[in-house]
Amino acid sequence: MPELPEVETTVNGIKKHLVGLTIEDVWTDYNSPLHTKSDNIKNPEYFKFFKKEVIGAGIADASRRGKNVLVHLSGNWTILIHMKMTGHVMYGRYEFAPGPRGGRWVATEIGPLRDDPFNRFVHFIINFSNGESMALADMRKFAKVTLVKTNELGSSPHLSAHGPEPLDKSFTVKRFKETLRKKQNSPVKTALINHEVISGIGNIYSDEILWRAGIHPLERVKNIPDKKWPAIWKAMKETLLEGIDFGGDSMSDYRNIHGERGKFQERHNAYRRTGEKCKKPSCGGVIARIKVGGRSAHFCDRHQKPRHRRQLRKLIGK
């Protein structure tokens, strides 16, 4: 699932290329009987409302909240896109190719938009006045697209449960510690990826943060010593900013708005490096993998040793 750096990379691309464009038409083949009463475009009746409201509107700005892309329109509407497991937003020139299943949208120019197989699963299109389009590719069709009143974003049920933004200047070490300690009995990995605690961190970046800070993913929040909190906070800030600097992580489906892969996967220290030597100088450890709350966690078996081994054995059932 795209996390904060991937979503931020997408938002930056939208701000650079889409602001000032006018929406001429929208299309989707999302149509699920499971969403007949929902307020997203998978509900055909809602899509009719969505289409009526956005056609003719201009792209005024874009921002991010947690893992949500927010495309602000002229007037008082914001298009909210949650890319979920396999979604990513792209921008370019597309044409509709009729086919036996109703047809599909295809990028017309040679390059990643057209040639990367992960970019071919287009299920939502916005056509602009300049002949270009914004496309949402979503292989597993889990993504969410809806409309929220711009002046009601903070109270929207789509966003109101989100915790603080980890890169905000106001999110100090003290506030970080207080926030995580609301889940004092949780493993620290579980607390970090809980969007109601902190927004935007998922499986990849939580592993990398804890590797940098030297904290075992199963360490309970209440057992983290005071002297360790600045290290975790610093690792969080540095890791997320590095993810943005390298254009996000494309180990799986994520692509930027040009359909290109990010490069953060080339800088993994822990995530999906099971059995490989730890990259920390003079460590000598090996990256191991365990399950934490049903999610995979990758860590070094040497410099991320838990402080309470008896508790750890109980948690992993050994």
Side-chain angles (χ1 to χ4, degrees):
M1 178 185 290
E3 302 179 31
L4 186 156
E6 291 75 55
V7 180
E8 189 73 18
T9 300
T10 296
V11 166
N12 290 341
I14 291 172
K15 292 173 74 169
K16 182 176 180 180
H17 295 284
L18 275 66
V19 170
L21 299 182
T22 300
I23 297 174
E24 288 200 338
D25 199 8
V26 293
W27 170 94
T28 188
D29 65 354
Y30 285 123
N31 184 346
S32 171
L34 300 176
H35 290 266
T36 53
K37 295 183 179 180
S38 65
D39 61 340
N40 67 66
I41 64 168
K42 292 178 182 177
N43 174 0
E45 288 302 313
Y46 186 86
F47 181 66
K48 290 178 184 178
F49 161 77
F50 179 96
K51 187 172 184 176
K52 176 178 176 291
E53 295 296 327
V54 304
I55 289 179
I59 307 298
D61 200 1
S63 62
R64 178 192 57 77
R65 182 68 172 104
K67 298 176 184 178
N68 296 276
V69 175
L70 304 175
V71 183
H72 308 296
L73 306 181
S74 56
N76 191 33
W77 283 115
T78 290
I79 300 173
L80 181 152
I81 304 172
H82 194 307
M83 298 184 283
K84 299 290 185 177
M85 292 292 292
T86 60
H88 54 277
V89 173
M90 302 174 294
Y91 173 71
R93 193 166 290 270
Y94 284 80
E95 64 180 12
F96 189 76
R101 296 185 179 181
R104 63 191 183 96
W105 288 87
V106 180
T108 61
E109 298 174 6
I110 295 173
L113 282 179
R114 192 188 74 177
D115 301 331
D116 188 324
F118 285 103
N119 294 337
R120 298 176 186 174
F121 302 94
V122 174
H123 296 294
F124 174 65
I125 281 276
I126 294 178
N127 294 323
F128 295 111
S129 51
N130 66 348
E132 307 275 301
S133 301
M134 186 181 83
L136 173 62
D138 181 19
M139 183 172 68
R140 299 183 68 180
K141 299 181 77 171
F142 289 160
K144 175 175 69 177
V145 181
T146 189
L147 277 176
V148 180
K149 288 285 187 181
T150 305
N151 63 354
E152 298 174 2
L153 282 168
S155 59
S156 165
H158 297 285
L159 299 172
S160 59
H162 282 59
E165 289 288 338
L167 293 181
D168 279 359
K169 290 182 179 180
S170 62
F171 198 56
T172 60
V173 178
K174 179 182 178 182
R175 191 177 173 203
F176 173 62
K177 178 181 173 181
E178 291 171 349
T179 300
L180 257 70
R181 282 193 166 175
K182 293 176 183 178
K183 298 291 183 181
Q184 61 176 338
N185 288 316
S186 293
V188 63
K189 161 97 176 180
T190 303
L192 282 172
I193 65 176
N194 184 337
H195 77 273
E196 294 184 0
V197 178
I198 298 179
S199 291
I201 300 174
N203 231 24
I204 297 172
Y205 293 94
S206 59
D207 282 353
E208 296 300 311
I209 290 166
L210 294 174
W211 181 91
R212 285 193 186 208
I215 300 292
H216 194 283
L218 279 174
E219 193 74 73
R220 290 197 186 276
V221 171
K222 66 181 180 181
N223 292 330
I224 297 174
D226 287 342
K227 65 180 181 181
K228 273 291 188 179
W229 285 102
I232 306 171
W233 176 84
K234 182 181 179 183
M236 176 187 68
K237 299 273 188 177
E238 290 177 345
T239 302
L240 294 174
L241 288 172
E242 188 175 309
I244 295 169
D245 287 344
F246 284 86
D249 192 294
S250 293
M251 177 163 274
S252 185
D253 306 69
Y254 175 74
R255 303 293 184 267
N256 65 21
I257 69 162
H258 303 296
E260 301 164 339
R261 295 166 61 89
K263 295 184 177 179
F264 186 74
Q265 69 276 4
E266 299 170 10
R267 302 181 66 82
H268 287 178
N269 293 301
Y271 184 72
R272 290 197 180 178
R273 294 191 63 245
T274 307
E276 297 181 36
K277 291 182 179 180
C278 180
K279 292 182 180 180
K280 189 177 180 67
S282 304
C283 174
V286 174
I287 302 301
R289 175 181 174 272
I290 57 173
K291 287 284 188 179
V292 180
R295 307 289 292 275
S296 293
H298 305 81
F299 65 99
C300 173
D301 64 2
R302 180 162 294 186
H303 84 270
Q304 289 178 261
K305 287 183 178 179
R307 296 177 66 250
H308 300 271
R309 296 191 182 187
R310 181 179 299 176
Q311 180 191 83
L312 174 63
R313 286 195 295 270
K314 182 178 179 181
L315 283 167
I316 63 177
K318 294 183 179 180

